[in-house]
Amino acid sequence: MFYLDQNLIFGVAGLVGGVLVVLLVSWFRSRQQRVQIELAKNAAARIIEEAKKDATTIKKEAELQAKDSILKERLDFEKEVRETRRELQNQEKRLIGKEEAIDKRIEAIEKRENELGRREASVKSREKTEEKGAECDRQVDEARRQLEQVAGMTREEAKRSLIDQMVEEAKHESAKRIRVIEEEAKEESVRKSQKIVALAIERLAGDFVAERSVTVFPLPNDELKGKIIGREGRNIRALEAATGIDLIVDDTPETVVISGHNPIRREIARLSLEKLVSDGRIHPGRIEEVVRKSEQEIEEAIKEAGQKAIFDVGVHGVHPEIVKLLGRLKYRYSYAQNVLLHSIEAAFICGMMAAELGLNEKQARRAALLHDIGKAVDHEVEGSHAIIGAELARKYGESPKIVNAIAAHHEDVRAETILAPLVDAADALSGARPGARREMMETYVRRLEELERKGVEKSYAVQAGREIRIMVQHDIVSDDEAARMAREIARKIENEMTYPGQIKVTVIRELRAVDYAK
């Protein structure tokens, strides 16, 4: 029984185990199926998503292709339209050209017809004119014979008389016409020139200068005169030999006069004498040493003066040698006017006039500043200072316009640009200011004698020879002839004389009517 129950228990256990195994297997299978189903769903979802993306991409590509196709067709259409329009325009131009050609041909035909008509009328009138001309010639010959008989002159004599009369009338009319033209030109030129000169002058105020042909050096006391002279005059001889000037030690109290034509050497002597007097040691060896130092100081002063002038005027790129030449002008004088100050003043005036005329102001200033550099070289150099200055400017790299302006500012050469007359005018304006220059009496007398030797009867030179006044007889010389005479005398003075500035020629024709009451 126990054995049977044991088998029954084993059978039931086996049955239960089989059922459990079957259930476990079926559970595993169902789980695997669910997993596969889930995987299949995920795969299906991915496939669907990828299909949607592919569909979107394909749609966008199709849209882009469609847009490209539409754009290409539009461009082709617009190109075709432009070509068609261009062709229509060309055809229209050809038609217009043909119409114009036809119109020109029609006009030419009409002109030709009119010309033929005029020629025909001219031929007819010429035939009539020839007939009348022959009749007139016969009448003229007859009248001429009668005139010769009445006048008692031949045809040639009458012709000469008529020619002389016509020449006199032509001279009279030309003189009147020239006078009117000159008056109009003078009025216009004076008005414009006065405006330009006034604008330039009123913007500049320069200092007047005084000429110094000698330098007066003051001494603290008269005892120093003996030291300056030295034993047997060796000190004064050494100083004169070193500086190249003359020292005048006379009875003038506490004064030594430094005399010399070279202003730079005179300044070196003054500076050297000042150092020697302040030091007290005056002997030949010391004199030579002090003169050398003074020369170096003067050279530096010359350089500084040239650089300052260039800076004041506002030019640049000037060669160092020209800077030195400008500095040397500080010690040069022309008719008592300092040449460096005159050059700076002329540069400003020239620049102002150039600005008023719309020209290059800096170039005008440069030319006027350098116009007198020829005066800076020693007197041993031959030639006019204008030509010498032009050669120096050309040597040191100045432009051809500047060189020509320097050479032509005294009319030694022909002016090639408007810059030369401007420099000439600025030079004259700077020197002609009242008090700017002072001329010597000998110059006045020489100019007066030269003017009065021109062979003009009853002439007077006034204003130091800057004006000529000529008295003429009113019954012989007319007003027009007086104007012509003034012009001819002015031209003759220009051709035969040398003078600075300008000379005014005035011809005076005066009629005085006098009567007496009885």
Side-chain angles (χ1 to χ4, degrees):
M1 187 70 181
F2 176 77
Y3 180 77
L4 181 60
D5 293 335
Q6 187 178 10
N7 288 333
L8 181 62
I9 291 168
F10 283 137
V12 173
L15 180 61
V16 171
V19 172
L20 291 172
V21 169
V22 171
L23 291 174
L24 183 64
V25 169
S26 63
W27 180 78
F28 274 116
R29 286 182 177 177
S30 64
R31 185 178 180 182
Q32 287 180 351
Q33 289 176 355
R34 286 196 300 273
V35 170
Q36 290 178 356
I37 291 170
E38 187 68 26
L39 292 174
K41 287 181 179 180
N42 292 334
R46 286 196 302 273
I47 291 170
I48 291 170
E49 186 68 24
E50 290 177 357
K52 288 181 179 180
K53 290 181 179 179
D54 292 341
T56 302
T57 303
I58 292 170
K59 181 179 179 182
K60 289 182 179 179
E61 291 179 354
E63 289 177 354
L64 290 174
Q65 289 179 358
K67 289 181 179 179
D68 292 339
S69 177
I70 292 170
L71 181 62
K72 184 177 180 182
E73 290 179 358
R74 181 181 296 172
L75 293 174
D76 292 340
F77 176 73
E78 291 178 353
K79 182 178 179 181
E80 184 177 356
V81 169
R82 285 196 299 271
E83 291 178 354
T84 303
R85 186 177 299 167
R86 189 181 300 110
E87 183 64 26
L88 290 174
Q89 290 177 351
N90 293 333
Q91 291 179 359
E92 184 178 0
K93 289 180 180 179
R94 287 196 293 271
L95 290 174
I96 292 172
K98 289 181 180 179
E99 290 179 358
E100 291 178 351
I102 292 171
D103 292 339
K104 289 181 180 179
R105 288 182 181 178
I106 292 173
E107 291 179 359
I109 292 171
E110 290 178 353
K111 288 181 179 179
R112 188 175 299 174
E113 291 178 355
N114 294 332
E115 183 66 23
L116 290 174
R118 285 195 298 272
R119 288 184 179 180
E120 184 177 359
S122 176
V123 170
K124 291 180 180 179
S125 63
R126 187 179 300 171
E127 292 176 353
K128 294 180 180 180
T129 302
E130 290 178 354
E131 294 176 358
K132 292 182 179 180
E135 181 64 25
C136 289
D137 290 339
R138 288 192 297 270
Q139 294 179 1
V140 168
D141 292 338
E142 182 64 25
R144 187 178 295 155
R145 285 192 297 271
Q146 293 178 2
L147 285 173
E148 289 179 356
Q149 292 176 0
V150 173
M153 291 190 301
T154 63
R155 179 180 177 182
E156 295 299 328
E157 292 174 349
K159 184 186 293 186
R160 283 196 298 271
S161 176
L162 182 60
I163 290 174
D164 293 339
Q165 182 179 358
M166 291 177 65
V167 168
E168 290 298 325
E169 291 180 357
K171 286 183 179 180
H172 182 70
E173 293 296 327
S174 63
K176 290 173 61 178
R177 184 61 179 167
I178 289 172
R179 185 179 178 185
V180 172
I181 293 173
E182 284 184 348
E183 289 177 355
E184 293 176 353
K186 284 179 181 178
E187 290 177 359
E188 184 67 17
S189 63
V190 167
R191 184 181 64 80
K192 290 185 177 180
S193 62
Q194 284 179 348
K195 178 181 177 182
I196 294 173
V197 171
L199 288 173
I201 291 299
E202 71 183 4
R203 293 164 57 188
L204 181 72
D207 296 330
F208 294 162
V209 295
E211 181 182 14
R212 293 181 298 174
S213 59
V214 296
T215 301
V216 178
F217 182 78
L219 295 175
N221 52 70
D222 285 339
E223 295 179 358
L224 290 173
K225 290 184 179 181
K227 290 185 178 182
I228 293 173
I229 296 173
R231 183 178 297 176
E232 297 179 356
R234 61 177 185 173
N235 290 344
I236 194 171
R237 285 197 300 270
L239 188 56
E240 289 179 347
T243 58
I245 53 87
D246 296 329
L247 289 179
I248 301 174
V249 182
D250 52 16
D251 296 335
T252 306
E254 299 179 355
T255 300
V256 173
V257 178
I258 304 172
S259 177
H261 294 290
N262 192 320
I264 297 177
R265 292 184 177 275
R266 196 166 64 241
E267 180 65 16
I268 292 173
R270 187 198 65 79
L271 186 60
S272 301
L273 194 57
E274 181 181 351
K275 291 181 179 180
L276 290 170
V277 170
S278 62
D279 184 36
R281 295 177 297 167
I282 304 176
H283 54 83
R286 179 63 177 166
I287 288 173
E288 293 179 359
E289 179 183 353
V290 170
V291 169
R292 283 196 300 269
K293 291 181 179 180
S294 299
E295 288 177 349
Q296 294 176 0
E297 291 180 8
I298 292 298
E299 287 295 327
E300 290 297 325
I302 287 172
K303 186 176 180 181
E304 290 178 3
Q307 292 174 346
K308 185 178 183 301
I310 290 171
F311 177 78
D312 292 342
V313 175
V315 299
H316 57 83
V318 180
H319 195 278
E321 292 298 326
I322 292 184
V323 175
K324 292 181 181 178
L325 292 173
L326 279 174
R328 291 173 67 89
L329 294 179
K330 177 182 178 182
Y331 302 99
R332 301 283 181 177
Y333 291 85
S334 177
Y335 295 100
Q337 187 180 30
N338 185 279
V339 180
L340 180 58
L341 297 180
H342 160 67
S343 299
I344 295 173
E345 187 177 88
F348 285 121
I349 294 174
C350 190
M352 294 171 192
M353 291 192 294
E356 293 296 332
L357 294 173
L359 304 177
N360 191 326
E361 183 177 356
K362 289 187 177 180
Q363 192 177 54
R365 286 188 177 187
R366 189 187 193 99
L369 179 65
L370 303 181
H371 79 281
D372 271 346
I373 58 172
K375 293 182 179 179
V377 299
D378 294 333
H379 297 289
E380 288 77 10
V381 180
E382 297 181 357
S384 168
H385 74 273
I387 301 300
I388 296 171
E391 292 298 328
L392 290 171
R394 183 183 293 108
K395 178 181 178 181
Y396 295 119
E398 292 296 327
S399 64
K401 289 184 178 180
I402 302 295
V403 173
N404 178 255
I406 295 172
H409 81 274
H410 280 323
E411 300 181 0
D412 293 326
V413 300
R414 185 176 62 86
E416 297 177 357
T417 63
I418 190 62
L419 194 59
L422 279 182
V423 173
D424 190 5
D427 177 42
L429 288 172
S430 175
R433 293 184 297 107
R437 291 186 174 182
R438 187 175 68 240
E439 296 187 33
M440 299 176 63
M441 181 61 66
E442 292 80 0
T443 307
Y444 287 163
V445 174
R446 186 166 57 251
R447 183 180 300 165
L448 290 170
E449 291 176 352
E450 187 175 356
L451 289 174
E452 292 176 351
R453 281 202 301 266
K454 296 290 103 178
V456 178
E457 186 178 359
K458 294 183 180 180
S459 66
Y460 304 91
V462 297
Q463 294 185 5
R466 295 185 183 273
E467 181 179 356
I468 296 178
R469 294 181 183 177
I470 301 169
M471 304 292 294
V472 298
Q473 298 179 7
H474 69 276
D475 55 345
I476 298 177
V477 180
S478 64
D479 289 340
D480 297 329
E481 291 175 349
R484 187 177 61 190
M485 182 184 295
R487 186 172 58 257
E488 291 176 353
I489 294 173
R491 298 294 87 79
K492 188 173 182 181
I493 292 174
E494 287 180 358
N495 296 329
E496 297 182 6
M497 291 181 57
T498 301
Y499 53 91
Q502 64 180 9
I503 297 176
K504 180 180 179 182
V505 179
T506 303
V507 177
I508 301 173
R509 178 179 178 269
E510 183 180 14
L511 172 62
R512 295 186 181 184
V514 180
D515 198 357
Y516 299 94
K518 298 180 181 178

